[in-house]
Amino acid sequence: MIIEQFFTGGIAHSSYLLGANRTCAVIDPRRDIDTYIEQAQEMGVKITHILETHLHADFISGHLDLARRTGAQIYAPKAGNCDFEHIPLSEGDSFRLEGIHIDVLETPGHTPEHISYLVTDTSRGDETVTVFCGDTLFVGDVGRPDLFPGMAKELAAQLYESLHEKLLNLPDFCEVYPAHGAGSLCGRAMAAKRTSTIGYEKKYNYALNIKNLEDFTNALTKNMPAAPDHFSRCSVINAKGPAIVEELPELKALNNNDFIGLIEKGDSIVLDVRCFESFGGQHIPNAYSLDLKSNFATFAGWLLPPDKNILLVTDSQGQALDASLWLRRVGLDRITGYLEDGMFGWVTAGLGTDHIAQISIVELHEKLTKGDETLVVDVRAASEYEDFHIQNSINIPVHELRERYVELDPEAEIVLICGSGHRSSMGCSILQQKGFRKLYNAAGGMTGYAAAKYGPECPMCRLPWTASSDG
Amino acid sequence: MIIEQFFTGGIAHSSYLLGANRTCAVIDPRRDIDTYIEQAQEMGVKITHILETHLHADFISGHLDLARRTGAQIYAPKAGNCDFEHIPLSEGDSFRLEGIHIDVLETPGHTPEHISYLVTDTSRGDETVTVFCGDTLFVGDVGRPDLFPGMAKELAAQLYESLHEKLLNLPDFCEVYPAHGAGSLCGRAMAAKRTSTIGYEKKYNYALNIKNLEDFTNALTKNMPAAPDHFSRCSVINAKGPAIVEELPELKALNNNDFIGLIEKGDSIVLDVRCFESFGGQHIPNAYSLDLKSNFATFAGWLLPPDKNILLVTDSQGQALDASLWLRRVGLDRITGYLEDGMFGWVTAGLGTDHIAQISIVELHEKLTKGDETLVVDVRAASEYEDFHIQNSINIPVHELRERYVELDPEAEIVLICGSGHRSSMGCSILQQKGFRKLYNAAGGMTGYAAAKYGPECPMCRLPWTASSDG
Amino acid sequence: MIIEQFFTGGIAHSSYLLGANRTCAVIDPRRDIDTYIEQAQEMGVKITHILETHLHADFISGHLDLARRTGAQIYAPKAGNCDFEHIPLSEGDSFRLEGIHIDVLETPGHTPEHISYLVTDTSRGDETVTVFCGDTLFVGDVGRPDLFPGMAKELAAQLYESLHEKLLNLPDFCEVYPAHGAGSLCGRAMAAKRTSTIGYEKKYNYALNIKNLEDFTNALTKNMPAAPDHFSRCSVINAKGPAIVEELPELKALNNNDFIGLIEKGDSIVLDVRCFESFGGQHIPNAYSLDLKSNFATFAGWLLPPDKNILLVTDSQGQALDASLWLRRVGLDRITGYLEDGMFGWVTAGLGTDHIAQISIVELHEKLTKGDETLVVDVRAASEYEDFHIQNSINIPVHELRERYVELDPEAEIVLICGSGHRSSMGCSILQQKGFRKLYNAAGGMTGYAAAKYGPECPMCRLPWTASSDG
Amino acid sequence: MIIEQFFTGGIAHSSYLLGANRTCAVIDPRRDIDTYIEQAQEMGVKITHILETHLHADFISGHLDLARRTGAQIYAPKAGNCDFEHIPLSEGDSFRLEGIHIDVLETPGHTPEHISYLVTDTSRGDETVTVFCGDTLFVGDVGRPDLFPGMAKELAAQLYESLHEKLLNLPDFCEVYPAHGAGSLCGRAMAAKRTSTIGYEKKYNYALNIKNLEDFTNALTKNMPAAPDHFSRCSVINAKGPAIVEELPELKALNNNDFIGLIEKGDSIVLDVRCFESFGGQHIPNAYSLDLKSNFATFAGWLLPPDKNILLVTDSQGQALDASLWLRRVGLDRITGYLEDGMFGWVTAGLGTDHIAQISIVELHEKLTKGDETLVVDVRAASEYEDFHIQNSINIPVHELRERYVELDPEAEIVLICGSGHRSSMGCSILQQKGFRKLYNAAGGMTGYAAAKYGPECPMCRLPWTASSDG
C-alpha cells in the first residue's frame, strides 16, 4: 500500500492516490486530471476507484473527467443525491482495493453529506492505518460548518458529533489525510503541515479541545472569515456533475474587432490578469483586475459575475491558458477567449484605454504627512485590518466594495490599500466601473508600509510584518 | 558543398556555415555561438575555419568565442590590424576547405579593411558560385560608407570601386550572401529577401545603377539615418578581440539592499526592460526604459552610457538572461545583475517608485481637440516624422533627447510619441532623469494614430499606416 | 518579399514559404504542417496560398491539411486532374500575392502535369527573381523521367523541352529553388547545396550540357537507380487528396494480448524500428527490421506491403510517434499502434522470440579467412556493389530479396552485408520470414570493412571509404 | 511547519525538507542536490541546516555539496568522527529552527553512530510530532544490524535497545519518517508505504513484536539478504566527506581511438548500460552488462571493481549522463567518459565485438523439453530461488558468480536466468570475461517462465508470479 499526496496551491487542496499492487483509488481529484494519470502510469497501477468525501464547495472536482478518461468507478456519499453515475455510500459500507479494506464513516458537519474513508492495510494489520477525512478534520483545525445559510448551528452540532463520536475514536496512530491545507477558506486556522495523526490532533487541535457543544458552535460560527461567492455554487455543480473539461470549447484567440464585438453584446466581462502595474499603466475600460499570480482562483470565484462570459486580457497565450485552468477549477467555465495581440495590439490599433495610478508606500506616506485630502480605504479582511492599519483609514473588504461603494464619494481622491497591492488593484477596478476617477493603488500595501517602518502603527517586531498570502 | 544561413533578428544579421564533407567554415559569427556548434554537429562536420569579412560596427562578433570552443582558425582582413591570433588576408589570397576553393577580394567602402570571400565549388565548376560579401553589397542596397567621421567621401569612392570594379565582375549567376537584411542600420533600404544574385542586383539595385561617383557619393552620404553610438565602439572591440563570453561574470540575482547599494555607488545605471505600461505603472527612479521586445539591442547600444555598470529590472530571471544576451551582442558587457524579486519585491519592501502616465491615442486626441496646453514631441527619426506626423508636434529623435532636452520646458505638460510607444517610453525615461514631471507616453504611437483615422494628417491609403519596426 | 526554405531530411525534400507583407504562400508542403504555421506566425503573415508544383511521387503532400487548418487556397496543375478543391493552373496563368507576381510555366518531364512558378518581385523589378521548379531542375541534376512505366522516353523528351525551351530561358541571375536535395531518389546525382541559379546550372549541370535529345534520354533512362515501390502509389494519393492527418486514428498503445490478437487476424505486419543489434538480440517472429534512424521512410515505402496494418515495436512511445510521422509521410497510414511494454514486456510475459546473429567485420573476416562455408550476400544497390565489394560476395539489392530469395539456399549459412548494417538487417528479417535460419547481419557493413583495411578490395584512399547515407 | 519527502527510486531512499517560516533543514540529502534547492526556492525558505542521521552505507550523501551551495551548517553524529566541518551531536543535544525544536536521540544498531531527530512544533504543542529516524525504524521493518563484519550481535542488541527503550517511548501519534522504503537493502521487508506512526509500527511491525533480544538477534542476523560490496565503502566515504560533485571532471565524449587507448592502459573497465538485447546483439569484448533501467546503482556498487576507471557504452549522451548520476550516488566517481558514437560508430570503424545469445522462455522450454545438454544457472538470491525455480537449475547469485564461476565448466552450454533478464545478462558478461563461450541469457526470466505456465514448478496462483524489482 502506498499513498501519494497532490497539493494544489491557490486552492490549498490536497488530493490523494491510494495505491495497491495493480490498482489504485484517487480521492477528491481536482478537475485537471493528467497528473493522476501520469502518477498511476509511473507507479504501474490502474486507476479503478474515484472517491469523493463530499460535495466540495470551493473547487470543482475532477471525478467525472477522471472516470471518463480511465473508466474508473466513482464512489460518493449517498446523502449527496448526486446526479452522475456513482456508487452511493453510507455509514458502514465497505469495499476493497486488492489487500486494502476501506470502511465508510458518515461525518457530516462541514457539509451535510460528508463521509470519511477509513483505510485498513490487511497485509499489515486489522486497524485503520489512515483516514481520508476530507474537510471534517484538518491539521490544526476542523471544517467550518457555517457555509450553508441558516444551517450553521445544526451543522456545527453534527460536526461535533462526527469528530468526538467518530473520528476521535480512531486509534491515536491513525494518519489523518485531509482535503485542505493552510490557505484554504474551508477552515480558519489550518497549519502548514499537510498531514497529521488522530492522537496529535486530539491533543493539540484547538477545536477538538472545546469540550462542550455550545462553545464549539460559537467558536466555529461566529467571526468566521467571509465565504467567497462561489462556495455556494460549486457544491451544486459537483452534485449535478460538472462539464467534462475535454468537451469545453477551446480558448479562442480574439482579434480587437471580435473582442469589441463581444464586449458590446453585453453578456461578457473583461478580465485582465496582468500584474497591477501593467493594469494600472493601461487597460481596457471596465476590465476587472485580478493578478494571475495572487490567489487568483478564490477571488475570481468571489468577485466575478458567474452568469457572464469571460474575455481575457493577458501578457501571453500561456498566461491565458493558465488563467483558464484556474477559472475552471472554481467553476467559471464560460471563458470565451483572450485578446490575441494583447494591450500592445489594442493601443496600436488606436483604441481607448483607462488607467489606475500606482503609488508607492513612500509616496503615500508623503501624501498623508503633508495633509493631502485623501481617503485611505483598506480592502483587507476585518481581522487583518484589526491587526494593524493606517491611522484614519477605513475598512471595506474588497468583496464588499461591490455593494458598499455607495458609502464612498466618487469625486474624492481615494487610495486603496491591501496586503501588497493585488486586492487593492481588484478594488480599484471595481470602483472605476462605478465611476470613481481619482483612484490610487497602494503598490506594496501594508507589507510595504510595515517594512518602511512608518507611523505609530508599525508593529514592534524586529522582522517586518508580512501580508497574508492572499496579497 | 552546403550553405546554412543564420538570421538574427533585432540586429538583422546574417551569418553562415559553409560546409564541405567533413569540415566547415563559419562566416561572421555572432557572439552567442552555440547554434553554430549544434548545426555543425547535426551535419556531422567540424568547424575548422572562422571567416570575418570586416570589423563589424553594429555587433560584437563571436570569432574568439568560436575559436576557443572549437579550435578553429580565424581568418580576418590584414588591413584590420587585429590584435587577436588570426591569418591575415589580402587581395589575391586563397585557401581551401576540402573541395571548396576560396578567394579573397578586398572590397573596402563600408569599412576600410573590408574583404569578400569568393567561393568556388571545384566539384562542380571553376567559377565563383557564391560570394560572402559582408556589408559591401546587400539585397537591394549597399553598405553605408558614412560611419567613420571625416572619411565618408573617401570610403564612398572605395565602395564605388569595390562594387563596379570587383563584385559586379562576378558572374551574373553568382549568389550574394550578405551580412545583413532589412532592419539593419548598416544600410538604408535593404530588402526583406535575405539572398540575391550578382545579376539581379546589378540590374535592380538602386545604388548600383548610379553610374557616376559623385551622384553615388551624394546618395550614400547625405540624409543617411543616424548611426547609433555603439557603431563607433564595436569595430574597435572587434579588432582588439572581445571578451570571451564564458569568462564574463555570471548574472547575479540581487536583493533590494544590494541593488540600492550598487545604485548609490554611482557607477551603475538601472535598465528596466519591461513593457512600457509596466514601466509607466511603477519603476525605480532614474531607470532607463528599454522594452526587451522592441529593437532592444540597437537602442541599448545607442542610448546607454557604455562606461557604467548595468542593473536590470525585469519580469523574470529568463528575461534578465535574455536582456543580458542582447546587451552582450552590442558590446555592453558590464551587466552586474538583476533585481531578484522584481518590482513587486521592491514595493512590498516599502521602497519608493516613479511613474510615467500612459495615454491612449483616443485620450490624446481628446486632449488635443479640447485644446489642452500640451506639447507633443515626436521622437521618431526625421524621415519618419516627415512622412506623417501630428500637426504642431515637434520632432526630436529619441537619441537626440539626451542633449536636446534643454530645448524643452521641464515644467510643461509633454506627450512623447513614436511609432508605437517603445521609443517614446525610452524618451520619457530620459526626460524624467532630467527633472521633467508632467510626461505622458502615447501608447500606440503614430500606428495607433493612423489606425484611429484622426485629423487631416491621416494618410489616404485604405490600410492603416504602420510604424517602422523600431517601434 | 522573403523566402524561407524547409528541408526535411530522410526524404531530402525542400518546401518553401514565400512571404509578402501580410500574406504568404507555401510551396509543396510536407504532410506535417505545424512548422509552416509557426513560421508564418513568427513572421506575422497569413498563409493564403498553397502551391503544388506537381503530384509528388516520393512523399504525401500536406496541401489538404494546410488548407484545412488555414483556410488557404490550393493551386495545382490543371493537367493533374486532381479530385480535391483547387485552382487549376496552366501555361500562362498568373496570380498575385500583394506585390509579388507569379507566372505559371508548364514544365512536364519528371511527371506529365508538372508546372513551375516564376516569381517576380514587382517592388524591385519586372523580371523573374526566383523559380520554384519542383522536380524539373535540381542543383546538379534534373528530375528523373523514368518513374512512369512505358512513358520514360516520352517524358524524357518533354523534360528536355521544359528545360531547354523554358527554364533555361530564364535570366542567368534567377534563383532556382527545387523540391529536393541530395539523398532524394527523384534524381540521381543531386548536389548537397540546396539552391542554385539558372546561370550556374546552365553551365555546370551535367544534364543540361547534353545537347541532343537522344543522349539526354539515354542518360536519364538507362542505369537509373531503382525506384521504391511507393513512388507509384504517392502520386495517385496526392491527386486524389490524402487523408487529413488530424482525422487519422490515434496511435494505440497495445498490450501483448491485443498485439497477438491483431497478428493472428492476418491483416497486419509487425514493424520493428529498433536498432539492428536490439532487433538481432530478440524480436517478435516475422517482424520487419527497419531502423528508424536510417533512411526509414524510403525503405518503409519500398519494402512494406501497403495493404496491411502496421503494428510497431519500438523502444519508447516517442519512437512510436516518430515512426508514425515518417510512415505517414510516405503514405503508410494504416498504423494501428505500438507494443506498449516493448520487448521487455513481451519476454517477461513468457512469449517467444526470434533472433539474428550480429557479426562484426573482424569476425566476418576471420570466418572468411579460415574458409567457413559462408555465402556473403551484399544487399546494396548494384552501383555501390560495383564500386567496391568483398570477393566472392554476390549482389542482391535488399528490395529484390523479396523475390530473389528463391535463388538462395534456406539451409545455407548466409551473411548479409550492406553499407553499415541497416539494410542488411532489413534483408535478414525478410529472409527469416522466408524460412532462412542461419543468417548473420554484418554489423558495420562495407564501411567497417573499408575502415578495417581488409583484403585486396580495400580502396587506396587514405581516408576510409564511407557508406552512402542510406546505410 | 511543513515537511516534504523526496523519494529516490533505485536506492529507495527518502530524504526530507523540514520547513519553518523562513528557513529549513534538509535531512539525509542525496548527492544530486538541485531538487532541494528548487523546492526551498519555491517555498520561499532558505536552507540553513543539513541533518545526517548516520553514515549511510548504501549511497553517498549530498551533505557537503549542499553545504557548499547554500552555506548551510551540517549536523552529524558525534560518534561518527566525521572529517568534514560539522556540528557533532550526541544524546540530549537540541537546537531550533525558528519555532521548531529538535532533540537528538542516539539510536545505534543499524550503524554504531546512528542518531534520530525528534521534532517538536512549538507553535502547536510540546510533544514530538515527528521523528526522522533514518535507518533505525522503517515502515514494516527495522534497520539491519548485520552490515559490519563481526559486529552483528552487538549492533542487534543496540538496535533492540534503541527501539524498545527509545523510539517506542515516543507517543503513538508520532509520525515516523525513515530514510528508506521498499526496495532498499538496508532492511529486508519494508512496506511500500513511505511514512508511518510509532503506534502503528509498535503494533504491526514484526520486528518490534519480537519481545526478547535473542530471538530479535536471530531474526535480524540470520538468512539476511547479501549486502552489496559498496555498503562497506560508502560509510567510509560519507564520514571522510565525499568529493564535491561540481568539482568532479566532466564526462568526456570519447572517440573510438581514445576509448581503445584507455582500455589498453589496463586501469579501466567498460560498462555497457544498454538493454540486454542490445548488449546481447553486440558489445565491446569484456564489457560489463548493467542495464540502466534495472536497479542499476545497487548492482554497479556491488559488481564493479571500485579501483578502476569506468568507460561507458550507452545509446545516447543523455543515457551517459544518467548513468553517471547513478554511479556517483553509490560512490563510483571514476567515470572517464562514454563512447561518443556508440556501438554503431564502433562497428562501422571495423572494430571487433562480442555477443550473448538471448533466448526466450518458449525457446528455453523447448530446449529443456527435448533434452539438450544445457545447464540452467539461476542467478537470483537464494530466497528467490527457494520460492520457485526451474527443475535441475542450480543457484549462484549473480554477485557470487565473480568467484564461483570456477564451479562451472567454461566449455558447457549454460543458460543464465534471473527474474526477468537483467541480472542474468550481468552474469553472462561476467562469465564471458572468464572465457565462457556458450552462454545464453534467458530473456524474460522466471517472470516469463511463470507467465508461460511451464512445468510443475509453476505456482498455482491465478495471477502470474512476478520477479522482484531488482529484475
Side-chain angles (χ1 to χ4, degrees), chain D residues 108-109 154-166 168 207-208 210-217 220:
Chain D
E154 177 189 346
L155 286 168
Q158 290 182 8
L159 181 64
Y160 190 81
E161 190 185 335
S162 293
L163 293 165
H164 288 283
E165 303 299 318
K166 297 191 174 174
L168 296 193
L208 301 184
I210 307 175
K211 298 294 185 175
N212 73 72
L213 176 57
E214 193 181 331
D215 291 351
F216 181 84
T217 302
L220 284 159

Side-chain angles (χ1 to χ4, degrees), chain B residues 112-148:
Chain B
E113 79 291 345
H114 202 298
I115 59 175
S116 294
Y117 296 95
L118 311 188
V119 176
T120 304
D121 182 352
T122 63
S123 72
R124 294 207 60 203
D126 54 7
E127 282 175 288
T128 304
V129 60
T130 290
V131 59
F132 293 105
C133 52
D135 291 10
T136 306
L137 175 59
F138 294 125
V139 182
D141 202 352
V142 297
R144 61 194 287 184
D146 67 327
L147 293 179
F148 292 76

Side-chain angles (χ1 to χ4, degrees), chain C residues 445-463:
Chain C
M446 293 307 293
T447 301
Y449 198 82
K453 306 205 158 82
Y454 287 129
E457 301 85 1
C458 174
M460 290 298 91
C461 67
R462 260 159 297 159
L463 288 164

Side-chain angles (χ1 to χ4, degrees), chain B residues 60-245:
Chain B
I60 301 299
S61 177
H63 49 310
L64 290 197
D65 293 277
L66 194 55
R68 180 185 160 111
R69 276 275 286 285
T70 62
Q73 176 68 55
I74 302 172
Y75 293 72
K78 183 164 194 286
N81 293 314
C82 300
D83 291 343
F84 51 84
E85 193 189 321
H86 68 288
I87 294 187
L89 297 176
S90 308
E91 181 92 6
D93 285 346
S94 70
F95 53 97
R96 288 180 79 89
L97 194 70
E98 303 173 45
I100 301 173
H101 180 88
I102 298 168
D103 288 298
V104 175
L105 214 57
E106 290 183 353
T107 52
H110 175 62
T111 65
E113 79 291 345
H114 202 298
I115 59 175
S116 294
Y117 296 95
L118 311 188
V119 176
T120 304
D121 182 352
T122 63
S123 72
R124 294 207 60 203
D126 54 7
E127 282 175 288
T128 304
V129 60
T130 290
V131 59
F132 293 105
C133 52
D135 291 10
T136 306
L137 175 59
F138 294 125
V139 182
D141 202 352
V142 297
R144 61 194 287 184
D146 67 327
L147 293 179
F148 292 76
M151 291 180 67
K153 218 171 152 182
E154 177 188 346
L155 286 168
Q158 290 182 9
L159 182 63
Y160 190 80
E161 190 185 335
S162 294
L163 294 166
H164 288 283
E165 304 298 318
K166 297 189 174 174
L167 291 182
L168 295 193
N169 288 340
L170 292 170
D172 273 8
F173 58 63
C174 176
E175 291 167 331
V176 170
Y177 286 159
H180 283 295
S184 165
L185 282 167
C186 290
R188 177 161 43 182
M190 296 179 213
K193 199 159 174 297
R194 296 198 184 133
T195 65
S196 188
T197 57
I198 289 292
Y200 193 85
E201 293 306 315
K202 192 186 289 185
K203 202 147 178 189
Y204 294 112
N205 185 316
Y206 82 96
L208 302 185
N209 283 294
I210 307 175
K211 297 293 186 181
N212 72 72
L213 176 57
E214 193 182 332
D215 291 352
F216 181 84
T217 303
N218 283 338
L220 285 160
T221 57
K222 296 193 173 153
N223 298 316
M224 292 298 285
D229 285 22
H230 62 295
F231 275 32
S232 57
R233 296 194 302 267
C234 286
S235 307
V236 178
I237 296 172
N238 281 326
K240 202 175 145 195
I244 298 295
V245 170

Side-chain angles (χ1 to χ4, degrees), chain D residues 55-57 111 148 230-240:
Chain D
L55 300 171
H56 305 283
T111 66
F148 292 76
H230 63 294
F231 276 31
S232 57
R233 295 194 303 265
C234 287
S235 308
V236 178
I237 296 173
N238 281 325
K240 202 176 144 194

Side-chain angles (χ1 to χ4, degrees), chain C residues 274-282 315 343-344 347-363 419-422 443-445 447-449 451-452 454, chain D residues 274-282 315 343-344 347-363 419-422 443-445 447-449 451-452 454:
Chain C
R274 299 174 302 144
C275 61
F276 54 72
E277 67 255 35
S278 295
F279 182 84
Q282 58 184 12
D315 283 320
M343 285 308 298
F344 185 74
V347 292
T348 50
L351 297 167
T353 59
D354 217 328
H355 319 274
I356 299 286
Q358 307 298 305
I359 186 170
S360 66
I361 291 306
V362 176
E363 296 161 293
S420 63
H422 294 116
T447 301
Y449 198 82
Y454 287 129
Chain D
R274 298 173 302 144
C275 61
F276 55 71
E277 68 254 35
S278 296
F279 182 85
Q282 58 183 15
D315 283 321
M343 286 309 296
F344 184 73
V347 293
T348 50
L351 297 166
T353 59
D354 217 330
H355 318 274
I356 299 286
Q358 308 298 304
I359 185 171
S360 67
I361 292 306
V362 175
E363 295 161 294
S420 63
H422 294 116
T447 302
Y449 197 83
Y454 286 130

